[in-house]
Amino acid sequence: MKFCAAAFCLLMGGAAAFSPRPATTSSFVAANPALVLPTRESGKFADAVGAGSRKSSVEMVAGGAERAYGQEYYEGVAIGPPPDLPSLLLHNRIVYIGMPLVPAVTELVIAELLYLNYESTTDPITMYINSSGTTTADGQAVGFETEAFAIADVMKYVRPPVHTVALGQAFGAAAMLLSQGKRGHRFALPNATIRLNQPKSQARGQATDIAIKAREVAHNRRTTCELIASACGKPIEAVMEDCSRVKYLQPHEAVEYGLIDEVITNTKSLAVEPSFMSQLAN
């Protein structure tokens, strides 16, 4: 009888061991002695959790997913960065060339011209030129004449007229682009400097390669002079002679040469005044 009672108790104890029951925190801590939990008496754990949840809920209610870390607000309105200047200029149909004519500059200028062409086929485009052409200011070659030819071709390709304005410097290929503006709308600011010169070769390598490149440079020189001669109404021979050496032109001399049409001192001479200028005046 005692044996049966003992067997019955062992059987019930084993069944209880295999039956599901919820695990308690004390049993979990006992099984993991390295784990230390804050006590309920201190209240720090509950206060920290409650404060964190309240803070996160306030942020979600105020800004939701649109509120980024560090975003500034004024009277409930998000303050974002101002529009970049090239976008403002492009919005007012202004293209600015302020660097030597390297491929990255050519890509941007052509993209802007094509965009403005499809935005409006009648409103003029104003191109401001402050560039040393395909060379640096000290004469080191950094680009190819084909960069300037690409821009000149697109200036004639787009339907809206392109007005050109020289400021600072317009050297070499940049002077050629200045002359490619619409006749009667080629301008220069009073202290701009315009320079005519022939392209420089970047040929390196064997003698045959240099000779091939020299023929290409001579062809590019003639193409540049033909474009300038056509824009200025001068014979090609006269322009090629002027470009054989460096020739500097002050704005009034450029008018006499036929490279530009007028020297301007303010935007009143331009066909279209940028809309943001009137906003700044208010």
Side-chain angles (χ1 to χ4, degrees):
M1 188 67 180
K2 293 180 180 181
F3 175 80
C4 293
F8 179 76
C9 292
L10 181 61
L11 181 61
M12 294 302 295
F18 287 99
S19 61
R21 57 180 178 180
T24 61
T25 304
S26 59
S27 62
F28 181 77
V29 174
N32 300 272
L35 181 64
V36 178
L37 292 179
T39 61
R40 186 175 299 273
E41 290 74 16
S42 64
K44 295 181 179 180
F45 178 77
D47 293 340
V49 173
S53 61
R54 287 194 300 271
K55 183 178 179 181
S56 62
S57 63
V58 171
E59 293 292 327
M60 291 297 294
V61 172
E66 296 182 358
R67 169 168 288 188
Y69 178 76
Q71 177 70 58
E72 296 184 1
Y73 283 78
Y74 179 75
E75 295 184 354
V77 179
I79 303 175
D84 57 294
L85 288 178
S87 298
L88 283 175
L89 296 177
L90 184 64
H91 176 69
N92 290 275
R93 305 185 67 79
I94 295 175
V95 176
Y96 176 58
I97 303 177
M99 296 178 62
L101 300 178
V102 296
V105 174
T106 304
E107 178 183 4
L108 177 61
V109 171
I110 291 177
E112 291 178 339
L113 291 174
L114 294 176
Y115 169 78
L116 294 175
N117 175 55
Y118 291 107
E119 186 183 56
S120 174
T121 58
T122 57
D123 295 336
I125 301 171
T126 304
M127 177 182 291
Y128 289 85
I129 301 175
N130 180 22
S131 172
S132 58
T134 56
T135 63
T136 59
D138 58 358
Q140 181 181 358
V142 293
F144 298 96
E145 302 301 312
T146 50
E147 306 293 339
F149 297 158
I151 297 176
D153 287 343
V154 175
M155 291 172 63
K156 302 296 183 182
Y157 170 78
V158 297
R159 296 182 62 183
V162 179
H163 303 173
T164 53
V165 182
L167 64 155
Q169 60 183 2
F171 293 170
M176 182 271 291
L177 293 179
L178 175 65
S179 69
Q180 297 305 297
K182 182 177 175 59
R183 187 72 64 89
H185 297 278
R186 301 170 300 177
F187 308 104
L189 297 186
N191 296 311
T193 302
I194 301 168
R195 187 180 75 185
L196 302 179
N197 59 264
Q198 57 181 326
K200 290 191 174 183
S201 173
Q202 302 184 45
R204 297 291 187 274
Q206 299 179 352
T208 53
D209 297 334
I210 295 177
I212 294 173
K213 183 60 179 178
R215 288 195 296 269
E216 179 65 18
V217 171
H219 172 74
N220 291 341
R221 176 197 174 193
R222 183 170 185 85
T223 301
T224 301
C225 293
E226 287 177 349
L227 291 172
I228 295 176
S230 176
C232 298
K234 286 183 171 292
I236 178 64
E237 293 78 10
V239 176
M240 291 191 67
E241 182 179 355
D242 292 335
C243 291
S244 62
R245 291 291 183 268
V246 174
K247 184 179 181 66
Y248 286 94
L249 297 172
Q250 297 305 312
H252 67 278
E253 295 175 335
V255 174
E256 297 174 0
Y257 197 84
L259 202 67
I260 61 175
D261 302 301
E262 185 181 350
V263 180
I264 61 175
T265 57
N266 52 56
T267 58
K268 299 299 181 182
S269 302
L270 299 179
V272 178
E273 183 177 353
S275 60
F276 63 83
M277 296 299 293
S278 60
Q279 297 295 330
L280 292 177
N282 295 334

